[in-house]
């Protein structure tokens, strides 16, 4: 889907058709964002994973939220509370070297929307859980903590800190 | 308020504020009585509770187009949640109004719009559907032919616009009273910032930008937000179709025309014009 839209964008650009380029922007954000978000999501999870975080991410979580449980509560509440389709995120703010919980609607990418680097994402579009959990999004969000791949989250934090110069 | 399945989960109310809990509890009834009496004393009518309307048919009546599982979850869980949360928001609104707490009144606007919109939209939706909805005729059919060219053209355009909704939302056939014409609208609308009378391309479909529908949210009630009178709505939140159609939203949208209740749609059209 993204390739098709980008193809149209290139055509419009070559024709200097600014109106056509503008008309394509929502589709680029939607499909491009969807590609970015899901690519991160698959790496954020693993079998035989979950449990408590360790290493740098654990320290950062304790510093920012007070405890892992406090982070879980905040992340869960935010993710359950997304109206309609969207994502819950643990993000890294490169300006002040801090973590934060944030949400985005639809496939809006975290970095463009909130200026944060995505570390851990949870898809709460209904397609992500409905066949199994039906309307009980809270159960799905709770279960997500059983499959979080914390070493991947640690890798993302390390990369984010390096590129931010911290 | 966090909604967990079909239940409304209340946080513990802050001291000094009476809060209405789930309808089954005796404390809830006591609190309601106290609030009602107190508010009546200051001339505010409170606690006219909304209730979930019954479906005009059984949960399995719309099969094979919409499965009984979907209808049961959609009606008894999703719609019920909007009803519950709307009641909670209205209770809080009555309290805040009585106390002259303007800040709280304003802060409740989003919850009222979202849950009120959910209640309004789904109440229309259940009536828009029927196991034997017939075909459009008479003045409605004449208006369809005049404004879209043909019934097939209407179906094709509304279906395309509805399939193209990004994320959760609705496709609507509405009536524009100012123009005296039928009009398609979608919520949410990706048309923010685009000039009216231009076009957006999504999923290969060309979606015209119309002034009235440029800023709609994902559960916005059509008439309150745009002035268009809702005639026929298609819910494309994933819960409306995913159990049966999975990700193939176009199949669901194309199929729903088989259970459109044209008598109901005509009645709405006749009231509107």
């Amino acid at each position: 889907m993204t390739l098709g839209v980008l193809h149209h964008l290139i055509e419009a650009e070559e024709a200097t058709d600014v109106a056509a380029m503008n008309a394509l922007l929502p589709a680029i954000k939607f499909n491009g964002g969807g590609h970015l978000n899901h690519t991160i999501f698959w790496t954020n999870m693993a079998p035989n994973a979950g449990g408590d975080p360790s290493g740098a991410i654990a320290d950062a979580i304790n510093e920012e939220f007070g405890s892992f449980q406090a982070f879980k509560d905040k992340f869960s509440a935010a993710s359950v509370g997304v109206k309609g389709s969207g994502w819950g995120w643990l993000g890294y703010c490169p300006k002040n070297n801090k973590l934060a919980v944030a949400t985005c609607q639809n496939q809006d990418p975290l970095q463009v929307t909130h200026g944060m680097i995505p570390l851990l994402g949870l898809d709460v579009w209904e397609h992500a859980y409905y066949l199994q959990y039906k309307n009980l999004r809270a159960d799905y969000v709770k279960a997500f903590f059983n499959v979080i791949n914390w070493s991947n989250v640690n890798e993302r934090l390390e990369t984010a800190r390096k590129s931010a110069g911290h | 308020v966090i909604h967990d399945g079909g239940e409304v989960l209340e946080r513990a109310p802050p001291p000094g504020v009476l809060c209405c809990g789930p309808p089954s509890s005796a404390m809830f009834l006591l609190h309601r009585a106290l609030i009602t009496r107190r508010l009546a004393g200051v001339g505010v009518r409170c606690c006219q509770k909304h209730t979930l309307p019954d479906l005009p048919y059984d949960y399995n009546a719309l099969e094979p187009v919409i499965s009984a599982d979907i209808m049961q979850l959609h009606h008894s869980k999703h719609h019920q949640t909007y009803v519950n949360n709307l009641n909670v928001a209205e209770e809080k609104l009555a309290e805040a109004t009585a106390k002259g707490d303007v800040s709280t009144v304003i802060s409740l606007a989003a919850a009222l719009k979202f849950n009120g919109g959910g209640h309004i939209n789904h109440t229309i939706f259940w009536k828009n559907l029927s196991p034997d909805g017939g075909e459009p005729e008479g003045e409605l059919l004449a208006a369809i032919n005049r404004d879209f060219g043909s019934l097939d053209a209407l179906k094709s355009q509304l279906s395309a616009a509805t399939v193209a909704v990004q994320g959760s939302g609705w496709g609507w056939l509405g009536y524009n009273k100012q123009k005296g014409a039928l009009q398609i609208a979608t919520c949410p609308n990706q048309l923010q910032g685009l000039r009216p009378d231009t076009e957006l391309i999504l999923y290969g479909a060309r979606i015209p930008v119309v002034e009235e529908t440029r800023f709609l949210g994902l559960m916005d009630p059509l008439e309150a937000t745009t002035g268009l009178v809702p005639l026929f709505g298609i819910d494309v939140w994933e819960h409306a179709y995913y159990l049966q159609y999975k990700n193939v939203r176009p199949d669901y949208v194309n199929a729903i025309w088989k259970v459109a209740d044209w008598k109901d749609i005509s009645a709405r059209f006749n009231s509107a014009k």
Side-chain angles (χ1 to χ4, degrees):
Chain A
M1 183 70 77
T2 316
L3 288 178
V5 170
L6 289 177
H7 179 74
H8 286 306
L9 180 68
I10 290 165
E11 281 183 337
E13 198 182 3
E14 280 166 359
T16 339
D17 186 350
V18 179
M21 288 166 66
N22 275 338
L24 288 163
L25 290 179
I28 291 168
K29 187 179 193 183
F30 185 63
N31 293 292
H35 181 42
L36 285 174
N37 295 337
H38 287 87
T39 302
I40 294 168
F41 192 43
W42 309 137
T43 69
N44 278 165
M45 297 183 289
N48 307 314
D52 289 358
S54 58
I57 191 68
D59 295 338
I61 283 174
N62 286 333
E63 196 180 313
E64 183 58 44
F65 302 101
S67 66
F68 179 50
Q69 187 60 49
F71 158 70
K72 275 179 84 165
D73 290 345
K74 190 159 193 184
F75 182 86
S76 301
S79 300
V80 169
V82 169
K83 288 199 171 96
S85 308
W87 289 71
W89 289 101
L90 172 63
Y92 172 78
C93 182
K95 281 190 225 117
N96 58 16
N97 192 32
K98 281 164 151 266
L99 303 184
V101 165
T103 59
C104 293
Q105 293 298 134
N106 296 334
Q107 297 297 351
D108 293 355
L110 183 69
Q111 200 150 5
V112 164
T113 312
H114 291 296
M116 291 199 292
I117 295 169
L119 303 180
L120 173 69
L122 176 56
D123 190 345
V124 289
W125 280 63
E126 286 173 330
H127 64 240
Y129 61 89
Y130 209 86
L131 291 177
Q132 183 174 352
Y133 294 88
K134 309 296 192 294
N135 55 305
L136 299 176
R137 187 191 281 182
D139 287 357
Y140 158 70
V141 170
K142 191 167 173 210
F144 175 63
F145 287 91
N146 296 335
V147 294
I148 295 177
N149 181 356
W150 289 111
S151 64
N152 174 262
V153 183
N154 263 319
E155 279 170 28
R156 292 182 179 279
L157 177 61
E158 193 183 333
T159 305
R161 276 181 166 155
K162 276 211 184 94
S163 72
H166 289 293
Chain B
V1 178
I2 296 172
H3 61 87
D4 182 357
E7 309 288 321
V8 171
L9 304 181
E10 287 268 357
R11 300 186 202 285
V17 175
L18 289 179
C19 230
C20 297
S24 56
S25 85
M27 281 311 289
F28 164 71
L29 293 169
L30 172 63
H31 286 166
R32 263 170 52 86
L34 289 171
I35 291 175
T36 310
R37 229 184 2 252
R38 196 177 70 192
L39 291 172
V42 292
V44 175
R45 195 187 58 181
C46 167
C47 305
Q48 194 178 7
K49 269 188 18 161
H50 300 282
T51 56
L52 181 68
D54 287 335
L55 294 186
Y57 36 73
D58 289 339
Y59 283 136
N60 63 3
L62 303 181
E63 288 187 339
V65 175
I66 305 178
S67 71
D69 281 351
I70 286 178
M71 292 302 291
Q72 180 164 13
L73 280 163
H74 202 174
H75 176 251
S76 72
K77 298 295 184 189
H78 291 275
H79 187 175
Q80 181 72 69
T81 298
Y82 290 118
V83 169
N84 295 345
N85 287 350
L86 176 61
N87 286 332
V88 167
E90 286 191 348
E91 302 273 14
K92 290 181 178 164
L93 178 66
E95 282 252 11
T97 307
K99 286 195 272 179
D101 181 354
V102 178
S103 180
T104 299
V105 167
I106 293 168
S107 74
L108 289 165
L112 287 165
K113 189 178 193 184
F114 183 67
N115 293 293
H119 181 40
I120 289 172
N121 291 342
H122 288 88
T123 301
I124 294 171
F125 190 51
W126 309 134
K127 296 223 180 81
N128 272 169
L129 306 174
S130 163
D132 38 19
E135 294 292 332
E137 51 187 35
E139 289 196 45
L140 175 60
L141 182 59
I144 288 171
N145 289 333
R146 180 196 65 212
D147 296 330
F148 293 96
S150 67
L151 177 59
D152 278 349
L154 163 64
K155 287 182 181 177
S156 159
Q157 284 184 46
L158 180 52
S159 296
T162 303
V163 166
V165 167
Q166 282 174 7
S168 307
W170 290 70
W172 289 100
L173 173 65
Y175 181 72
N176 186 323
K177 290 197 273 203
Q178 276 76 47
K179 296 180 183 163
L182 299 172
Q183 192 172 306
I184 282 170
T186 58
C187 322
N189 197 304
Q190 298 84 44
L191 311 183
Q192 288 196 31
L194 293 182
R195 288 167 43 87
D197 302 324
T198 55
E199 263 186 350
L200 183 64
I201 301 163
L202 283 170
Y203 294 129
R206 294 178 170 273
I207 315 297
V209 179
V210 180
E211 182 63 53
E212 292 84 356
T213 66
R214 281 206 293 156
F215 299 103
L216 293 177
L218 60 144
M219 192 46 84
D220 279 3
L222 190 70
E223 187 159 15
T225 335
T226 67
L228 293 174
V229 178
L231 304 183
F232 177 53
I234 304 176
D235 187 355
V236 287
W237 283 60
E238 286 173 328
H239 62 242
Y241 62 90
Y242 208 85
L243 288 179
Q244 184 176 350
Y245 292 88
K246 310 296 192 298
N247 59 304
V248 193
R249 188 192 276 183
D251 282 1
Y252 158 70
V253 172
N254 290 333
I256 205 169
W257 293 100
K258 297 183 204 155
V259 290
D261 186 349
W262 289 104
K263 292 188 280 298
D264 177 71
I265 298 168
S266 280
R268 295 176 192 277
F269 172 72
N270 290 329
S271 303
K273 62 179 176 62

